[in-house]
Amino acid sequence: MEKQTVTIYDVAREAAVSMATVSRVVNGNPNVKPATRKKVLEVIDRLDYRPNAVARGLASKKTTTVGVIIPDVTNIYFSSLARGIDDIAMMYKYNIILTNSDENGGKEVQVLNTLMAKQVDGIIFMGNQVTDELREEFKRSKAPVVLAGSVDSEKAQPSVNIDYVAAVAEAVKNLIDHGNQKIAFVSGSMEQAINHDYRLKGYKKALKDAGIAYDDKLVFETDYTYKAGQSLEPALSAAGATAAFVGDDELAAGVMNGLTDAGVDVPSEFEVITSNDTKLTELVRPKMSSITQPLYDIGAVAMRLLTKLMNNETVEENTVILPYGLMKRSSTK
Amino acid sequence: MEKQTVTIYDVAREAAVSMATVSRVVNGNPNVKPATRKKVLEVIDRLDYRPNAVARGLASKKTTTVGVIIPDVTNIYFSSLARGIDDIAMMYKYNIILTNSDENGGKEVQVLNTLMAKQVDGIIFMGNQVTDELREEFKRSKAPVVLAGSVDSEKAQPSVNIDYVAAVAEAVKNLIDHGNQKIAFVSGSMEQAINHDYRLKGYKKALKDAGIAYDDKLVFETDYTYKAGQSLEPALSAAGATAAFVGDDELAAGVMNGLTDAGVDVPSEFEVITSNDTKLTELVRPKMSSITQPLYDIGAVAMRLLTKLMNNETVEENTVILPYGLMKRSSTK
DNA sequence: CGCAACATTGAAAACGCTTTCATATCAAAG
DNA sequence: CTTTGATATGAAAGCGTTTTCAATGTTGCG
């Protein structure tokens, strides 16, 4: 009892018009006599006709779906962006094919290829390591690609971000102003552009401005997990750090809880400032001070930018920088 | 300079074979002489041919993509399921079209329709309120639908869940065993089947078993947000509750922090147990005791079930119940 | 060597729509 | 009435595959 599908042809026959006319009314083409339109609409309603988007995609070469590559949906930072992306996408009648990449280069390339095979009209990429291979794929893609909350040292792709260098510098300066001399820099892999090309740069800048020598013993490269942060405490203390800038909220929560559990009081004995201003910052105690980012908007703006690109509209600026801020909560003095 | 796409026809011409043969090698059909296969493969490689999935979808009536309806990606409970779904989907060569519904019936119906228009091969639905309209749409869908971590009182759809009634009953019994007599039931909308048909039932059962009278003054219906939980404190105290079962982790974190901030000590003065065992339970202090659920697995199993359904394999049991547990952390005595 | 049986291949018809181009229709103008 | 310039409509050619069916090759065996 396979359900029978009604096609545009059925509608045409029943309404005694041509497929072309049905297509016109379905697509809102104005060149249809109102009476005809009405007649067709009635038949469509009666037969419960629903256009087949696949056929449409083949004929029109537009699928109204965009691919979204995300490191891990489970990471609030990225899922917040994703939410912004999806909302705007829906607003513009696009759908999202979402795939987790785990920031794994091989997987990313593979995913990118299947997205292209599926003829997505555009792609939003999140992930902070754009390998050469990936960059090549981006180039060969006929669908525009925009990076959201992610940077590429080559700056080849349109992207939406905040000014990470300035934001981190400001955050670290804040820590310095509180009298800290030994400030740890805790982040994910240094291979990621966002860490070595932006955050670390901001960190160094703040130190330099304050006349503090850079000491790579204070740089902790780990992964973006709660556990990783939690187990960092002994090392942090051993290095003599009295404060830390952390590149991810979950990681920061781990760091903070690890400290607290070890009897180090935050913020009186150790200050922590984090980067992404996700809801996690408010959940933990003490609440975490953070660089603030318009997470939802980064996604939303990236998607909006993508719609323009897909539409061949000229965009004034391919690299958009959204404003950041510093939110003082209770993990800093 | 529109990028030129190479089609199966180009490959056929260059390899001096028919499209049919190319199609065969692309699809791994064994009826091709090894020599021919090799020749075709070389041409494919040389021309960098990539099959157009849309055309393929039209011709084969299979798109290898499934639709996923999620209340909000930003909610860790659901994003954890989504992660399981995506991983298994990828394993079976499917892609995911992900859309947020905000549990809004109208939006859900609309989304469902566009998914069907896009000819998805199957659908995974998350959201705990299956309206009649939605149920109708499910029925008319020729793509199989499975509910993940979500229940429908009608039990019409295949689904993957835990035994909510038993789990909640056990959680509440635990609270009772600690000497609590006035236990609050805090959840989202009572219109959701999971709340009124399952959790509340479990709650009542536990009370009854312990000979405690049910008092609807202890039932707090709110929304699943941190803020909502946080602002519940005065009401909770006013009702004289000394413990609470909460239906969502973020909400529970709010409840707990609200209590703590108001000077009520958890767990000595007030115990809290939550439902979803997401990472949040470990982030907050005190860590939250929770019903444990195999979140990732719920998604994974749902997707696996869906693959079977899409494949017309006979499945022994449409309604799968995964095991739950109780994890004692520090928000209960 | 001849033929059955099977392995390979190709031609062409779908798949369900959009879009171009030509034809028809029609109201207003001459 | 004819002519003209829209305005409406239809025919048919794609879009890039899969798939069916028939045709052709090939092999083994008597």
Side-chain angles (χ1 to χ4, degrees):
Chain A
M1 51 141 274
E2 190 54 28
K3 277 126 180 166
Q4 192 53 53
T5 67
V6 1
T7 73
I8 197 174
Y9 182 78
D10 299 319
V11 176
R13 181 168 30 71
E14 288 288 311
V17 298
S18 71
M19 292 164 50
T21 299
V22 177
S23 176
R24 287 190 187 97
V25 350
V26 167
N27 291 297
N29 183 317
N31 300 345
V32 181
K33 194 161 40 163
T36 316
R37 179 187 310 280
K38 181 153 174 289
K39 185 173 58 176
V40 172
L41 251 15
E42 276 169 8
V43 175
I44 286 181
D45 195 51
R46 178 157 57 79
L47 302 189
D48 190 29
Y49 165 68
R50 328 233 188 140
N52 178 322
V54 174
R56 233 205 263 240
L58 183 57
S60 69
K61 293 169 167 295
K62 299 224 163 302
T63 54
T64 65
T65 110
V66 317
V68 176
I69 298 177
I70 192 173
D72 184 4
V73 240
T74 263
N75 177 314
I76 297 206
Y77 169 69
F78 290 114
S79 66
S80 299
L81 303 201
R83 187 62 217 254
I85 294 169
D86 187 44
D87 282 0
I88 303 304
M90 170 150 293
M91 188 173 300
Y92 285 88
K93 315 277 189 203
Y94 283 94
N95 285 104
I96 283 321
I97 295 187
L98 198 281
T99 42
N100 297 91
S101 70
D102 293 316
E103 305 233 33
N104 169 143
K107 205 165 168 187
E108 286 168 337
V109 170
Q110 185 202 324
V111 158
L112 204 54
N113 277 309
T114 98
L115 287 178
M116 286 163 47
K118 295 214 167 167
Q119 313 296 120
V120 295
D121 296 337
I123 293 173
I124 291 193
F125 180 87
M126 295 181 265
N128 283 302
Q129 204 167 173
V130 179
T131 61
D132 294 341
E133 194 181 359
L134 216 45
R135 209 172 290 124
E136 275 315 301
E137 295 290 344
F138 286 165
K139 242 178 253 168
R140 86 198 305 169
S141 164
K142 56 178 154 187
V145 178
V146 357
L147 308 186
S150 309
V151 290
D152 173 20
S153 5
E154 305 284 313
K155 301 195 178 73
Q157 296 299 321
S159 63
V160 180
N161 292 287
I162 61 165
D163 182 342
Y164 301 110
V165 178
V168 173
E170 199 171 321
V172 174
K173 174 173 189 308
N174 192 264
L175 259 16
I176 294 172
D177 289 347
H178 295 171
N180 294 288
Q181 288 283 316
K182 298 198 138 200
I183 300 173
F185 177 92
V186 182
S187 77
S189 166
M190 273 303 163
E191 289 188 359
Q192 304 192 337
I194 194 174
N195 289 325
H196 76 258
D197 275 356
Y198 293 78
R199 289 179 177 145
L200 190 57
K201 201 168 282 179
Y203 171 77
K204 286 181 175 171
K205 179 172 182 307
L207 293 188
K208 193 172 170 205
D209 289 353
I212 299 178
Y214 168 74
D215 175 2
D216 60 15
K217 298 253 179 346
L218 287 168
V219 172
F220 297 83
E221 186 177 355
T222 175
D223 28 83
Y224 293 132
T225 65
Y226 178 78
K227 284 230 168 319
Q230 201 177 22
S231 55
L232 221 54
E233 186 281 321
L236 247 21
S237 298
T242 60
F245 159 82
V246 186
D248 174 88
D249 291 358
E250 193 177 327
L251 177 59
V255 167
M256 211 180 62
N257 283 168
L259 254 9
T260 305
D261 292 351
V264 178
D265 186 70
V266 177
S268 75
E269 302 179 67
F270 199 108
E271 298 184 58
V272 174
I273 189 161
T274 183
S275 298
N276 297 336
D277 196 39
T278 62
K279 353 178 173 171
L280 297 188
T281 58
E282 302 260 349
L283 283 186
V284 293
R285 288 301 132 91
K287 295 179 187 175
M288 291 189 285
S289 299
S290 178
I291 291 170
T292 62
Q293 304 191 30
L295 299 178
Y296 181 92
D297 292 348
I298 291 176
V301 170
M303 185 62 211
R304 178 65 183 105
L305 176 55
L306 187 60
T307 64
K308 290 181 186 165
L309 260 18
M310 292 186 295
N311 227 18
N312 288 313
E313 296 175 27
T314 51
V315 310
E316 54 304 331
E317 185 49 89
N318 259 344
T319 305
V320 2
I321 301 296
L322 263 21
Y324 67 88
L326 229 49
M327 179 61 164
K328 197 212 164 309
R329 296 201 181 82
S330 319
S331 66
T332 54
K333 289 176 194 161
Chain B
M1 53 139 272
E2 189 55 29
K3 274 125 180 166
Q4 192 53 51
T5 66
V6 1
T7 73
I8 198 175
Y9 182 76
D10 299 318
V11 176
R13 182 169 28 72
E14 288 289 310
V17 298
S18 71
M19 292 165 47
T21 297
V22 178
S23 176
R24 287 190 188 99
V25 349
V26 167
N27 291 295
N29 183 315
N31 299 345
V32 181
K33 193 161 38 163
T36 316
R37 179 187 310 281
K38 181 152 176 288
K39 184 173 56 174
V40 172
L41 251 15
E42 277 168 6
V43 175
I44 286 181
D45 196 50
R46 178 156 58 78
L47 302 189
D48 190 29
Y49 165 68
R50 330 247 189 124
N52 178 323
V54 174
R56 233 206 263 241
L58 182 58
S60 69
K61 293 171 167 298
K62 299 224 163 302
T63 54
T64 65
T65 109
V66 317
V68 174
I69 298 177
I70 191 173
D72 183 4
V73 239
T74 263
N75 177 313
I76 296 208
Y77 170 69
F78 289 114
S79 67
S80 299
L81 303 201
R83 186 63 217 254
I85 294 170
D86 187 45
D87 281 0
I88 303 304
M90 169 151 293
M91 188 173 300
Y92 285 88
K93 315 278 189 204
Y94 284 94
N95 285 105
I96 284 320
I97 293 188
L98 198 280
T99 42
N100 296 90
S101 70
D102 292 315
E103 304 233 35
N104 167 143
K107 205 166 167 186
E108 285 169 339
V109 171
Q110 184 202 324
V111 158
L112 204 55
N113 276 308
T114 97
L115 287 177
M116 286 164 47
K118 294 215 168 166
Q119 314 296 120
V120 295
D121 296 336
I123 293 173
I124 290 193
F125 180 87
M126 296 182 266
N128 282 303
Q129 203 169 174
V130 179
T131 63
D132 294 341
E133 195 182 359
L134 216 44
R135 210 172 288 124
E136 275 316 302
E137 295 289 344
F138 285 165
K139 240 178 255 167
R140 86 199 304 170
S141 164
K142 56 178 153 186
V145 177
V146 357
L147 308 186
S150 310
V151 291
D152 172 21
S153 5
E154 304 285 313
K155 300 194 178 74
Q157 295 299 323
S159 63
V160 180
N161 292 286
I162 62 164
D163 182 343
Y164 301 111
V165 178
V168 174
E170 198 170 323
V172 174
K173 173 173 191 305
N174 192 262
L175 260 14
I176 293 171
D177 288 349
H178 295 172
N180 296 288
Q181 288 283 318
K182 298 197 140 202
I183 300 172
F185 177 92
V186 182
S187 78
S189 165
M190 272 305 163
E191 290 188 359
Q192 303 192 337
I194 194 173
N195 289 324
H196 77 258
D197 275 355
Y198 292 78
R199 290 179 177 144
L200 189 58
K201 201 168 281 179
Y203 171 77
K204 287 180 174 171
K205 179 174 183 304
L207 292 187
K208 192 172 171 207
D209 288 353
I212 300 178
Y214 168 74
D215 176 1
D216 60 17
K217 297 252 179 347
L218 286 168
V219 172
F220 297 83
E221 186 178 354
T222 175
D223 29 81
Y224 292 132
T225 64
Y226 178 79
K227 283 227 168 323
Q230 200 178 21
S231 55
L232 221 54
E233 186 280 322
L236 246 22
S237 297
T242 60
F245 160 81
V246 187
D248 175 87
D249 291 357
E250 192 177 329
L251 177 59
V255 168
M256 211 180 61
N257 283 167
L259 253 11
T260 305
D261 292 351
V264 178
D265 186 71
V266 177
S268 73
E269 303 178 69
F270 198 110
E271 297 184 58
V272 174
I273 189 163
T274 183
S275 299
N276 298 335
D277 196 40
T278 62
K279 352 177 174 174
L280 298 187
T281 58
E282 302 259 348
L283 283 188
V284 294
R285 288 301 134 90
K287 295 179 186 173
M288 293 188 286
S289 298
S290 177
I291 290 170
T292 63
Q293 305 190 30
L295 299 179
Y296 181 92
D297 292 348
I298 291 176
V301 170
M303 184 64 211
R304 178 65 183 104
L305 176 55
L306 187 60
T307 64
K308 288 181 186 164
L309 261 17
M310 293 187 294
N311 227 19
N312 290 311
E313 295 174 28
T314 51
V315 310
E316 55 304 331
E317 184 50 89
N318 259 346
T319 305
V320 1
I321 301 295
L322 263 21
Y324 67 88
L326 230 48
M327 179 60 163
K328 198 212 163 308
R329 295 200 181 84
S330 319
S331 65
T332 55
K333 288 175 199 164

